[in-house]
Structures are given as C-alpha cells and as structure tokens.
C-alpha cells in the first residue's frame, strides 16, 4: 500500500502575512457556526482555535442599546438590551432568548443566518418582531441588527481565557461586511460578569460586582460600495474605554479580563434590506489582518503567483516543512489560503 496526498482549498479568504504570531479573535462565516449549539465545540475549519465553543446569535430590535456608563464610570446608566431585567441573564441559548421575546421581557426578533456563495452569512430585516410579547409590524424606519458571537467559559473559549486569544492588547477591529452605505456599524466587546474587585484604575464599585457587564465599542466606518467590503478601525474604544485594562485582584488576568461577547452591530437597517459579514478579527500590534476576496479573485491572483514555491504554516503561524493530515495555511508569493492535507490509501500498481 502507498499513501497519496490530496490538497483541497476550503476558504474564500486571502490571508496577508498570516504566518506572524496571532493571538486575537478571528472567525469567518460558516454553516457550521450557524448550526452550532451552546457548548458545542467548533472544528478548525469553522474557527481559528479548534475545540472552542462559540454560538452565533443574531437579534433584530427597533432600537438596540448597548450597556452604557456615566462619565465617571461609576454606574450603569442604560442597561438597554444587552442584558435583560431578569437577573442580567444573557441569551446565548436561543430557546431562552425566544422565551424572553414571547413573554415580553425584551423586544425584538431572532434571525437565522444564510450562507451565500460569496462566503458571507446574511440576514434580512424581518417583517415583524415581538413587542411586549406580541408580534407587530417592523416600523418603516427599520431598526438595528446585532450579530453576536457568544463565547463559552466551560471550554475556555472567551477572549482573555488564555495566551492564544488575548484582550489586553487589542488595537482595533477588521471585518468584511455587506451593508447599505446609510447603515452605521460598530464592533462591541462585552466583558463577562465578575464577583470580585478590579484593579487597573477602577475601584470595584457596585456595578462591577457581578451585577452588570461592560461594553467597549469600536465605531467602524460605513460602507462606500455595494457588495462585500473590508472595513477597519484602529484606535481607542469608546464607552467602557478601559475594559481591556480590567484585572481581577485574585487572578491578575494576565491576558485581560475575559470578554463574553463579541458583537457586530448594524444600526438603521430598513425593512427588506439585508446585511452580511465574514472575516471578523481583532487587531493587535504587528498583525496584518486577513483580506477578503471572492473565489474568482483567489483563482486570478494565484495564477500570477503559481510559479512561486509554496510555504506552509499551521494555524498557530508556525512554519511546517512537510505538512500532513490536517489544515494548514499555504502561501505562494503574496497570496495565502487555507488548505487541507488528507491521507488517502491506494494499492501499489
């Protein structure tokens, strides 16, 4: 018997300088992510870090409001819709969220994403939503859509739970979206609850002692053209500006206090309009973000670089001389892609 290697491309994304060490949150749209349930771990094809549990939850609301704080950062002033009035229960579990909508605990409508051939996951503004527990028509002015990535503590999937995904040095956000140009877009990071005091310039006042979550907001630029477009923001987050500096006195949180949710929020989407996303990643010093392109774009660029010898790296960015039996990053010149090496057994001739 002899072993035969088969290579197949599995990604629509181009990766620029992916080989450098990366320790941020980075995820593409996929059917596996859409179908994932709470506590179920994702494969390496669905997420950069295999074995992490991430659930996608998309919520429409006529007016979405994240958790805000006063200027002194001493108390929560607008709980809004990030948490409910029901003991600050989060809604990673769709059944809990649906129950809350139907009971009138919060207004809105859960949306199911659909994968497109271009590699983006799309949702459309619904015709109706739950208001005080009753289905009513969506207003003519539309509303807001929150695309939420719910990370799990049990599988150490939260940002800040380990060296492989840190929050203490986030410098911005990069994402590929498809949205009308009039839509305002933010990327929000919501910290996990805590019952212990914080260091880092913030005395553990009442709202940090297990009662509320805080939200750091990056104000992303609007789109300027139709179809998928890369947008990015580099700089300091607003709202809870020092969220990434929080530390628990008991553990010191070397990688930053864990972030529970990563959100992409689309404000002002009108009835019938749809929005899409993929290629969502946090920025860190020295990291060059991955760029999106369509399938045809990859084929064209690879034709130009076809004569360049291929280099291979594992998903942690370490160069591999003889890849075998797994998912790797193949780089030819300026173009990179994910590839799968499969071992097939065939009889000797």
């Amino acid at each position: 018997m002899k072993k035969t290697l088969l290579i197949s491309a599995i990604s629509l994304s181009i990766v620029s300088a992916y080989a450098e060490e990366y320790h941020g949150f980075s995820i593409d749209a996929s059917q596996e992510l859409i179908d994932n349930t709470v506590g179920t771990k994702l494969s390496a094809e669905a997420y950069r870090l295999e074995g992490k549990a991430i659930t996608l939850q998309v919520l429409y609301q006529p007016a979405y409001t994240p958790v805000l704080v006063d200027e002194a950062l001493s108390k929560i002033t607008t709980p809004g819709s990030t948490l409910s009035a029901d003991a600050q229960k989060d809604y990673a579990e769709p059944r809990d969220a649906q129950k809350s909508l139907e009971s009138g605990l919060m207004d809105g409508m859960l949306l199911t994403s659909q994968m497109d051939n271009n590699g983006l996951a799309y949702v459309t503004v619904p015709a109706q939503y739950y208001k005080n527990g009753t289905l009513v028509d969506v207003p003519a002015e539309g509303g807001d859509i929150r695309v939420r990535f719910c990370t799990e503590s049990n599988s150490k999937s939260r940002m800040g739970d380990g060296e492989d995904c840190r929050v203490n040095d986030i410098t911005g956000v990069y994402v590929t979206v498809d949205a009308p140009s009039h839509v305002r877009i933010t990327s929000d990071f919501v910290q996990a609850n805590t019952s212990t005091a914080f260091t880092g310039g913030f005395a553990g006042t009442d709202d940090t002692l297990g009662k509320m979550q805080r939200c750091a907001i990056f104000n992303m630029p609007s789109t300027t053209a139709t179809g998928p477009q890369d947008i990015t923001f580099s700089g300091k987050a607003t709202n809870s500006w020092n969220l990434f500096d929080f530390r628990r006195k008991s553990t010191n949180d070397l990688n930053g206090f864990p972030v529970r949710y990563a959100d992409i929020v689309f404000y002002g989407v009108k009835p019938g309009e749809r929005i899409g996303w993929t290629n969502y990643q946090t920025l860190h010093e020295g990291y060059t973000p991955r760029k999106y392109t369509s399938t045809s774009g990859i084929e064209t660029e690879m034709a130009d670089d076809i004569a360049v010898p291929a280099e291979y790296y594992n998903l942690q960015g370490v160069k591999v001389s003889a890849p075998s039996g797994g998912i790797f990053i193949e780089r030819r010149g300026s173009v990179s892609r994910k590839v799968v090496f499969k071992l097939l057994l065939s009889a000797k001739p």
Side-chain angles (χ1 to χ4, degrees), residues 196-340:
T196 57
F198 285 108
T199 58
F202 189 80
T205 53
D206 289 345
D207 62 304
T208 65
L209 300 180
K211 295 184 178 181
M212 285 288 183
Q213 295 167 314
R214 293 186 166 278
C215 180
I217 299 174
F218 291 98
N219 293 298
M220 308 296 290
S222 298
T223 60
T224 58
T226 58
Q229 181 177 347
D230 290 349
I231 59 174
T232 186
F233 177 89
S234 297
K236 197 174 186 179
T238 59
N239 192 36
S240 289
W241 57 271
N242 58 350
L243 179 145
F244 303 132
D245 294 329
F246 285 162
R247 302 287 188 274
R248 283 171 291 187
K249 293 180 179 179
S250 58
T251 64
N252 200 26
D253 293 319
L254 296 179
N255 305 306
F257 183 75
V259 167
R260 177 76 164 88
Y261 303 123
D263 299 340
I264 311 171
V265 187
F266 299 83
Y267 292 92
V269 189
K270 302 183 186 304
E273 292 182 333
R274 71 173 192 160
I275 57 94
W277 73 274
T278 192
N279 198 30
Y280 183 41
Q281 52 200 303
T282 55
L283 300 181
H284 303 260
E285 187 68 30
Y287 172 67
T288 302
R290 297 179 293 137
K291 296 181 179 179
Y292 166 86
T293 188
S294 65
T295 306
S296 60
I298 288 180
E299 291 171 349
T300 300
E301 292 191 63
M302 286 193 68
D304 295 335
D305 289 311
I306 196 66
V308 179
E311 295 179 333
Y312 295 97
Y313 301 84
N314 63 23
L315 296 181
Q316 286 70 49
V318 179
K319 191 172 182 179
V320 179
S321 59
S324 175
I327 300 173
F328 298 87
I329 302 300
E330 178 190 82
R331 185 169 67 179
R332 291 180 184 271
S334 62
V335 177
S336 300
R337 63 172 182 168
K338 280 184 181 178
V339 294
V340 179

Side-chain angles (χ1 to χ4, degrees), residues 8-313:
S8 60
I10 61 171
S11 174
L12 295 179
S13 299
I14 283 184
V15 186
S16 296
Y18 195 97
E20 58 190 279
E21 181 183 358
Y22 182 62
H23 52 260
F25 182 84
S26 176
I27 193 166
D28 290 331
S30 69
Q31 193 61 49
E32 181 180 341
L33 175 63
I34 293 172
D35 295 339
N36 202 38
T37 58
V38 171
T40 303
K41 298 177 181 179
L42 294 170
S43 70
E45 296 183 19
Y47 183 46
R48 182 179 72 88
L49 299 172
E50 184 175 13
K52 302 294 186 179
I54 298 175
T55 306
L56 179 67
Q57 185 205 81
V58 185
L59 177 71
Y60 162 83
Q61 290 194 308
Y64 175 77
T65 306
V67 173
L68 303 176
V69 296
D70 63 8
E71 291 184 359
L73 297 178
S74 61
K75 64 180 180 179
I76 298 294
T77 56
T78 309
S81 53
T82 297
L83 301 171
S84 77
D86 181 19
Q88 290 76 54
K89 184 182 182 71
D90 69 61
Y91 294 109
E93 172 56 63
R95 288 174 297 182
D96 289 340
Q98 185 63 28
K99 180 180 177 181
S100 190
L101 291 168
E102 293 176 356
S103 67
L105 193 56
M106 69 177 183
D107 295 339
M109 177 66 77
L110 288 174
L111 306 178
T112 300
S113 302
Q114 301 290 332
M115 286 299 299
D116 192 276
N117 291 334
N118 63 11
L120 275 68
Y122 285 89
V123 293
T124 302
V125 177
Q128 293 186 311
Y129 74 103
Y130 287 96
K131 182 177 181 179
N132 298 323
T134 303
L135 282 174
V136 299
D137 291 339
V138 167
E141 62 271 22
D144 311 323
I145 292 177
R146 183 195 68 196
V147 178
R148 166 161 285 183
F149 305 88
C150 309
T151 61
E152 304 297 327
S153 59
N154 290 340
S155 64
K156 297 296 182 182
S157 302
R158 300 172 303 179
M159 287 178 276
D161 274 336
E163 284 285 331
D164 53 7
C165 195
R166 294 178 242 157
V167 300
N168 58 326
D169 60 352
I170 292 177
T171 60
V173 178
Y174 191 100
V175 63
T176 302
V177 298
D178 186 354
S181 58
H182 63 80
V183 173
R184 183 170 68 89
I185 305 171
T186 68
S187 176
D188 303 353
F189 296 91
V190 185
Q191 82 173 191
N193 267 345
T194 183
S195 58
T196 57
F198 285 108
T199 58
F202 189 80
T205 53
D206 289 345
D207 62 304
T208 65
L209 300 180
K211 295 184 178 181
M212 285 288 183
Q213 295 167 314
R214 293 186 166 278
C215 180
I217 299 174
F218 291 98
N219 293 298
M220 308 296 290
S222 298
T223 60
T224 58
T226 58
Q229 181 177 347
D230 290 349
I231 59 174
T232 186
F233 177 89
S234 297
K236 197 174 186 179
T238 59
N239 192 36
S240 289
W241 57 271
N242 58 350
L243 179 145
F244 303 132
D245 294 329
F246 285 162
R247 302 287 188 274
R248 283 171 291 187
K249 293 180 179 179
S250 58
T251 64
N252 200 26
D253 293 319
L254 296 179
N255 305 306
F257 183 75
V259 167
R260 177 76 164 88
Y261 303 123
D263 299 340
I264 311 171
V265 187
F266 299 83
Y267 292 92
V269 189
K270 302 183 186 304
E273 292 182 333
R274 71 173 192 160
I275 57 94
W277 73 274
T278 192
N279 198 30
Y280 183 41
Q281 52 200 303
T282 55
L283 300 181
H284 303 260
E285 187 68 30
Y287 172 67
T288 302
R290 297 179 293 137
K291 296 181 179 179
Y292 166 86
T293 188
S294 65
T295 306
S296 60
I298 288 180
E299 291 171 349
T300 300
E301 292 191 63
M302 286 193 68
D304 295 335
D305 289 311
I306 196 66
V308 179
E311 295 179 333
Y312 295 97
Y313 301 84

